[in-house]
Amino acid sequence: MANSRFQPGRSATSRRRVATAAASCSCAAQEVAVRLLVPLSAVVIEAPDWPGQVGITDRGALLVRPDQIGTWRAPIAPPDPADDLIRALARVLGRTVG
């Protein structure tokens, strides 16, 4: 679950929106791990300038392989994070999903 620490320069509304997006992506990661039978964890990075450095917003998501190579990104949280993530991970793993 997202860390709700105060972040300088962000309003309470912005922090709630980020926490909601992070929780949504974390739940999606858990669902995808179960569906594809792969280990998968979600990490919320709260450094204010980090999202822009990797091409996402503070509500986006990034899929990173164990060797630290980014393989998929969603600039903003997709409407159905689990669906987008399962398609992306299946593509990375060379699997077909229905």
Side-chain angles (χ1 to χ4, degrees):
M1 187 147 179
N3 184 338
S4 60
R5 289 185 316 206
F6 173 74
Q7 296 175 353
R10 290 198 180 178
S11 69
T13 302
S14 176
R15 286 193 305 276
R16 279 193 298 276
R17 192 171 49 238
V18 171
T20 302
S24 175
C25 288
S26 293
C27 290
Q30 291 172 348
E31 179 182 333
V32 170
V34 169
R35 286 180 61 189
L36 292 180
L37 301 173
V38 296
L40 186 63
S41 58
V43 177
V44 177
I45 299 173
E46 295 186 356
D49 58 341
W50 189 82
Q53 293 176 3
V54 296
I56 62 175
T57 67
D58 61 353
R59 292 173 289 167
L62 184 66
L63 178 63
V64 180
R65 299 185 331 203
D67 61 0
Q68 304 302 304
I69 302 295
T71 61
W72 171 81
R73 81 181 87 205
I76 61 170
D80 185 351
D83 186 54
D84 283 15
L85 183 56
I86 201 163
R87 284 195 318 255
L89 192 55
R91 190 169 45 247
V92 168
L93 296 172
R95 296 185 187 178
T96 304
V97 293

